[in-house]
Amino acid sequence: AASACTTEITTVETFYSMKQDLDLIFDVRTLNEYTGDGDAACNAAKANMCNMGHDPDMWMLTNPDRADMAVVYKVGDNYTVDTKIIEALRNCYGSQASVMKVAVSCRSGVRSKLFQDALVEAGFACGNMYNVKPGADGLWKANPAMLVKGNTQKGPWSCAAAPVTLTTTRTEGAAAVSAVAVGHILARGLMP
């Protein structure tokens, strides 16, 4: 059954203003799209699709069973979500999944919406799960200098590389939610 989750970040400005409050940001595009490697075949399919790169705080989710590493990919005319990465995320974050703030991005918001729905079905809370609707295309068109190329900033996700420890209180409406992303702190060099 499809999720009715419609929690979205609808503008580039909102993405950048919310970014520091997110525990994790995932990119579900192919390896060529994420790295912005300029692949000609990829760019022939959609202009500049593989020139954009990614936001430096986005983890790339990977599917080692596919050459393009995509976790959301077409089978025939329909997209499918790699269930192994959904299970890996659920196993990694366990009970924290229901209180984590997570954004999911792709090129234009279509694949990330499908992935968002799969995460909600796996136990992540819809109200804390954001589809980055402008996607890499919107971020790139707004300011390509804000994106990076290659796969060393954040790079491929793994549970060990992206731990999230929920320790401080964040208030949202009537609910108090505990959350702080230790992965972000470590990545920014604020802790040894």
Side-chain angles (χ1 to χ4, degrees), residues 105-130:
S105 183
C106 64
R107 184 185 65 81
S108 64
V110 173
R111 290 173 284 176
S112 53
K113 170 65 175 140
L114 294 169
F115 200 83
Q116 174 193 33
D117 290 344
L119 286 175
V120 169
E121 289 174 16
F124 288 78
C126 174
N128 293 333
M129 185 69 41
Y130 299 90

Side-chain angles (χ1 to χ4, degrees), residues 59 92-93 157-163 186:
W59 291 98
C92 178
Y93 300 115
W157 174 87
S158 71
C159 189
L186 294 173

Side-chain angles (χ1 to χ4, degrees), residues 141-152:
K141 285 176 179 171
N143 186 352
M146 296 290 285
L147 304 182
V148 296
K149 300 204 179 193
N151 67 356
T152 59

Side-chain angles (χ1 to χ4, degrees), residues 24-187:
L24 292 166
I25 308 170
F26 294 132
D27 191 314
V28 298
R29 296 176 298 151
T30 67
L31 179 63
N32 289 349
E33 289 176 274
Y34 180 83
T35 60
D37 69 1
D39 181 75
C42 174
N43 286 332
K46 297 246 191 223
N48 292 311
M49 192 159 98
C50 287
N51 290 339
M52 298 174 196
H54 61 279
D55 181 272
D57 290 318
M58 287 182 180
W59 291 98
M60 181 187 176
L61 297 177
T62 60
N63 179 349
D65 297 331
R66 293 183 52 88
D68 65 4
M69 306 295 266
V71 296
V72 180
Y73 51 90
K74 278 201 170 178
V75 175
D77 291 335
N78 300 308
Y79 280 109
T80 190
V81 175
D82 175 35
T83 57
K84 288 184 273 183
I85 192 69
I86 297 294
E87 186 169 325
L89 291 164
R90 182 177 51 218
N91 290 341
C92 178
Y93 300 115
S95 63
Q96 296 175 349
S98 65
V99 293
M100 292 171 58
K101 279 190 156 190
V102 179
V104 184
S105 183
C106 64
R107 184 185 65 81
S108 64
V110 173
R111 290 173 284 176
S112 53
K113 170 65 175 140
L114 294 169
F115 200 83
Q116 174 193 33
D117 290 344
L119 286 175
V120 169
E121 289 174 16
F124 288 78
C126 174
N128 293 333
M129 185 69 41
Y130 299 90
N131 176 26
V132 181
K133 190 147 173 105
D137 190 52
L139 298 175
W140 188 71
K141 285 176 179 171
N143 186 352
M146 296 290 285
L147 304 182
V148 296
K149 300 204 179 193
N151 67 356
T152 59
Q153 289 182 326
K154 290 289 191 186
W157 174 87
S158 71
C159 189
V164 171
T165 304
L166 305 175
T167 58
T168 62
T169 300
R170 176 191 300 144
T171 303
E172 296 180 29
V177 180
S178 296
V180 99
V182 171
H184 289 290
I185 294 167
L186 294 173

Side-chain angles (χ1 to χ4, degrees), residues 9-28:
I9 296 172
T10 58
T11 68
V12 171
E13 295 77 16
T14 302
F15 171 75
Y16 285 120
S17 71
M18 287 182 65
K19 195 167 95 160
Q20 71 277 1
D21 295 325
L22 297 168
D23 296 310
L24 292 166
I25 308 170
F26 294 132
D27 191 314
V28 298

